């Protein structure tokens, strides 16, 4: 007798772990953004997406996997300022929001910390006047 439809489509443990991580990222990002918007409001017409790369993006997360995330945003150059009590220009708005998200995602818990002192963590890929793009080879944080 063949497998039932449910058994054939049953997600793997790695896929389930990726779903849990995605849900946690969504809840934490929503809460962080809501708190940020209380102070700085929203940038009209702006968009933000958090992409999961690596094992998270491939739905192959294990208990030892890290989360490789990219924050991508866009806003209208014609109306770049946020509408809150302490408005910010779009670039500054999203830079600060991204830092808040990183802080929220990397808050230490009782689970411990990474021991990666033997690795060079960040490698600068491009350095211009207004930005530096880094690739992280290890650790909790890359911006």
């Amino acid at each position: 007798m063949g497998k039932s439809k449910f058994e054939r489509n049953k997600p793997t443990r790695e896929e389930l772990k990726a779903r849990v991580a995605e849900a946690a990222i969504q809840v934490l990002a929503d809460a962080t953004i809501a708190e940020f918007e209380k102070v700085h409001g929203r940038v009209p017409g702006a968009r933000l997406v958090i992409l999961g790369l690596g094992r998270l993006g491939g739905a192959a997360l294990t208990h030892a996997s890290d989360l490789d995330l990219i924050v991508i945003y866009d806003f209208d150059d014609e109306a770049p300022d946020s509408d809150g009590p302490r408005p910010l220009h779009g670039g500054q708005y999203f830079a600060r929001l991204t830092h808040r998200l990183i802080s929220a995602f990397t808050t230490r818990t009782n689970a411990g910390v990474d021991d990666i002192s033997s690795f060079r963590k960040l490698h600068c890929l491009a350095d211009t006047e207004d930005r530096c793009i880094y690739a992280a080879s290890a650790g909790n944080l890359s911006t």
Side-chain angles (χ1 to χ4, degrees):
M1 188 165 163
K3 292 184 178 181
S4 72
K5 183 178 178 181
F6 175 75
E7 290 173 323
R8 284 192 307 266
N9 295 326
K10 185 178 178 182
T12 66
R13 288 182 182 179
E14 291 79 12
E15 290 170 328
L16 291 173
K17 288 175 186 172
R19 289 181 187 176
V20 169
E22 289 169 357
I25 290 165
Q26 182 69 54
V27 168
L28 190 54
D30 288 347
T32 302
I33 291 168
E35 285 299 311
F36 190 81
E37 288 176 348
K38 287 179 184 177
V39 176
H40 300 293
R42 293 178 163 211
V43 177
R47 299 175 292 180
L48 178 133
V49 65
I50 301 172
L51 296 178
L53 304 176
R55 290 190 170 272
L56 176 62
L61 210 58
T62 68
H63 70 282
S65 298
D66 61 349
L67 298 180
D68 299 319
L69 304 173
I70 293 180
V71 178
I72 299 174
Y73 59 86
D74 185 32
F75 60 91
D76 184 1
D77 289 333
E78 300 297 320
D81 296 328
S82 65
D83 59 7
R86 293 177 47 201
L88 296 170
H89 182 275
Q92 188 178 27
Y93 179 93
F94 284 106
R96 287 189 185 182
L97 177 56
T98 300
H99 281 277
R100 292 271 178 96
L101 290 167
I102 291 167
S103 179
F105 293 150
T106 59
T107 297
R108 299 291 183 211
T109 67
N110 291 333
V113 298
D114 288 347
D115 184 17
I116 54 172
S117 58
S118 62
F119 296 101
R120 177 156 185 241
K121 297 179 189 178
L122 297 178
H123 306 277
C124 187
L125 299 177
D127 193 2
T128 64
E129 235 177 66
D130 58 344
R131 74 174 67 170
C132 188
I133 300 172
Y134 289 98
S137 59
N140 293 325
L141 167 67
S142 66
T143 58

